[in-house]
Amino acid sequence: MKSLKKCFGFGDGRKSGLSFAMLACGSMMLVASLCASCASGKAVEQIAIEDEERGINMVQIPGESYCIMDTEVTQEIYESVMGVNPSNFKGEKNLPVENVSWYDAVSFCNKLSEKEGLEPVYSFEGETDVEKWWNMVNKWDSFPGEKIKWNKNANGYRLPTVEEWQYAANGGQAFKYSGSDNIDEVAWNGLVRDKTHPVAQKKANGYGLYDMSGNVCEWCWDSEGSSYNGTYGRSYCGGAWSFDSNRCTVDYETSSSTGLKAVFLGFRVVRNADE
């Protein structure tokens, strides 16, 4: 049997920082001690590798080549990586981070990858160290987002594409919202126009993913294709605590400036599934 280090890229003697839940048949979950690439076609397996610092849970999407975080990135996780918490809504445990730009999200991905001993996915003019990016531009808010490059062979964390996000949000089901046709079962949305809420309090979808139709919208990788003040916009998906139900559907997607920071906008991360 392959080792966990080979399957997930863990270094010798290093605490991983992750809990992996590998799902492959709807919402049912069984526990086994095999990785997805070693399971010889078995439908469902879970690998729990505990992290006292962060506790990120990644779910491998059945039949696909990526794993996605089961919740939005929380304020605790974001601060443990970035050293700051930019969120407007604070005070409760496990609130999603918000008020983060697309740049903040890709920077988080690279920094988390570095902390986990993984190869960072994103680079600017060949540089993956986000601390050095600041010295390579004149103004962060006008950072040329189209010059951020994605190394598709790197094993670190990244933002999902719109296609990946929507496929995961669908959960192998055919509901209007992620996990149900009843939005109240799965999402914090416009009926509670007050603030964000702790993640994973509502019903999960068929892949065990939470809050994909409400709480905060989530940045994705895709470039919108038109220019906002000289920079290209990026897409985001999902509903938010302040959105009406028609903007919380599985297929909802829009875009904005890469420098936008808003109280309704956060993100979750993905990784390539190890072969």
Side-chain angles (χ1 to χ4, degrees):
M1 184 178 73
K2 296 180 182 178
S3 69
L4 294 181
K5 289 184 291 183
K6 184 170 183 180
C7 293
F8 297 116
F10 300 151
D12 290 329
R14 183 175 59 81
K15 188 177 292 183
S16 75
L18 298 175
S19 297
F20 282 85
M22 316 299 286
L23 305 179
C25 60
S27 59
M28 184 171 67
M29 181 182 294
L30 302 176
V31 177
S33 58
L34 297 177
C35 73
S37 62
C38 315
S40 301
K42 291 185 179 180
V44 181
E45 54 275 301
Q46 179 182 8
I47 303 169
I49 303 168
E50 299 300 331
D51 174 23
E52 296 176 357
E53 291 185 79
R54 281 179 284 276
I56 297 173
N57 299 305
M58 303 294 289
V59 175
Q60 181 163 349
I61 302 303
E64 299 297 312
S65 59
Y66 66 98
C67 305
I68 188 168
M69 191 172 173
D70 67 342
T71 69
E72 296 145 343
V73 172
T74 64
Q75 295 177 21
E76 291 87 352
I77 293 172
Y78 189 89
E79 188 170 7
S80 76
V81 173
M82 303 296 285
V84 295
N85 179 8
S87 302
N88 180 70
F89 301 113
K90 300 178 182 178
E92 294 182 78
K93 188 176 181 180
N94 292 326
L95 291 174
V97 71
E98 24 85 9
N99 204 32
V100 288
S101 69
W102 183 86
Y103 302 126
D104 293 329
V106 297
S107 296
F108 172 91
C109 290
N110 269 23
K111 282 197 167 188
L112 178 59
S113 296
E114 290 172 354
K115 286 179 179 290
E116 294 297 332
L118 303 170
E119 182 180 3
V121 168
Y122 300 120
S123 65
F124 173 65
E125 296 184 353
E127 179 59 63
T128 61
D129 184 348
V130 298
E131 298 297 335
K132 295 180 180 179
W133 292 357
W134 286 80
N135 298 322
M136 300 166 72
V137 293
N138 294 322
K139 184 181 178 184
W140 186 247
D141 284 344
S142 62
F143 193 94
E146 66 274 14
K147 291 188 177 181
I148 299 290
K149 302 303 181 184
W150 168 14
N151 178 1
K152 295 185 178 182
N153 295 318
N155 64 353
Y157 294 91
R158 60 179 176 83
L159 296 179
T161 65
V162 169
E163 182 179 6
E164 288 172 335
W165 192 98
Q166 292 181 343
Y167 188 90
N170 184 272
Q173 302 164 312
F175 294 126
K176 183 175 182 180
Y177 308 106
S178 182
S180 178
D181 284 327
N182 181 353
I183 193 170
D184 294 335
E185 291 184 344
V186 294
W188 302 104
N189 75 312
L191 296 178
V192 284
R193 289 179 179 271
D194 52 354
K195 61 182 183 62
T196 58
H197 297 265
V199 300
Q201 300 299 301
K202 296 278 190 172
K203 177 184 173 183
N205 75 1
Y207 293 154
L209 308 178
Y210 297 90
D211 298 318
M212 298 194 82
S213 281
N215 215 0
V216 292
C217 296
E218 301 174 17
W219 283 114
C220 293
W221 165 255
D222 302 50
S223 174
E224 192 273 338
S226 61
S227 178
Y228 292 84
N229 298 322
T231 65
Y232 284 89
R234 295 285 175 160
S235 296
Y236 58 87
C237 294
W241 61 272
S242 58
F243 281 20
D244 293 328
S245 60
N246 62 349
R247 292 194 291 166
C248 295
T249 57
V250 168
D251 60 354
Y252 178 76
E253 178 245 337
T254 189
S255 61
S256 190
S257 165
T258 45
L260 174 69
K261 298 183 180 184
V263 296
F264 62 82
L265 187 53
F267 66 102
R268 75 180 69 208
V269 296
V270 305
R271 273 190 66 197
N272 294 344
D274 294 307
E275 298 179 358

